[in-house]
Amino acid sequence: SQTIHQWPATLVQPVGSPLSLECTVEGTSNPNLYWYRQAAGRGLQLLFYSVGIGQISSEVPQNLSASRPQDRQFILSSKKLLLSDSGFYLCAWSVRGGKNTEAFFGQGTRLTVV
Amino acid sequence: KQEVTQIPAALSVPEGENLVLNCSFTDSAIYNLQWFRQDPGKGLTSLLLIQSSQREQTSGRLNASLDKSSGRSTLYIAASQPGDSATYLCAFQDTDKLIFGTGTRLQVFP
């Protein structure tokens, strides 16, 4: 069966520090991968998605970047965190190329920038 | 640009009630619809997936319908229980992306 792992679960970082959040998927190949952010009291905002290794699409201009160094690994990064980067970050995967595919989410990372 | 609205934003009911959560979207050219549940501080759990050729799906006490022509989906929860308390999110697949609504926060009290 497929599983998705995100870590760490919680993170407190000072303003200006770097960030690296990692997401890995097991039990499937060639997935679409996604990074979402959920700010307090708000909906899910799509940040990045990837349909293959090295292929990253950015949905909103921001202080963050994403990379996909391996087929089932998706990394969210920042060189210098801002207070506004605080939020709940969720990674997800779905079958690539399908029009009727289900998406599955990790348990999320709670990031607090202080 | 696809926009997704969920009504109501919050709902508090006694257990045993039958509930209807609404989700509306602006662009009927969607691939599929998915309903999720999110418990506080947790990730999303997939509840139901309605494919583009389908009109509804059922799982236990949950039933979801999709009407692409009117731009609406509903999630029906029968005989609600306190354990159903959570935020419910709908999402539409748009090519390679999932577009989410803002969610309905449900509280079922004993």
Side-chain angles (χ1 to χ4, degrees), chain A residues 32 34 36 38 42-44 46 49 51 59 88 90 94 97-108 110, chain B residues 31-32 34 36 38 41-44 46-47 49-53 89 93 95-102:
Chain A
N32 283 353
Y34 309 86
Y36 285 86
Q38 189 174 38
R42 302 183 66 179
L44 276 145
L46 178 61
Y49 69 96
V51 298
E59 285 297 293
F88 192 50
L90 288 156
S94 66
K99 291 186 177 182
N100 289 295
T101 60
E102 196 169 359
F104 300 94
F105 281 75
Q107 286 302 299
R110 173 76 58 193
Chain B
Y31 287 168
N32 63 36
Q34 198 167 351
F36 294 88
Q38 186 178 28
K42 303 293 185 182
L44 275 65
S46 178
L47 297 174
L49 171 71
I50 307 177
Q51 299 181 354
S52 57
S53 60
L89 297 149
Q93 184 180 353
T95 58
D96 290 312
K97 301 177 291 184
L98 268 183
I99 309 298
F100 278 86
T102 51

Side-chain angles (χ1 to χ4, degrees), chain A residues 50-96:
Chain A
S50 171
V51 298
I53 296 175
Q55 300 180 59
I56 308 295
S57 296
S58 175
E59 285 297 293
V60 294
Q62 58 205 313
N63 185 42
L64 302 168
S65 62
S67 62
R68 184 170 177 173
Q70 300 180 40
D71 181 47
R72 291 170 290 175
Q73 184 184 29
F74 206 21
I75 298 173
L76 184 68
S77 304
S78 174
K79 292 182 179 179
K80 291 184 178 182
L81 284 168
L82 306 172
L83 287 174
S84 58
D85 292 324
S86 294
F88 192 50
Y89 289 82
L90 288 156
C91 180
W93 76 273
S94 66
V95 173
R96 180 184 303 177

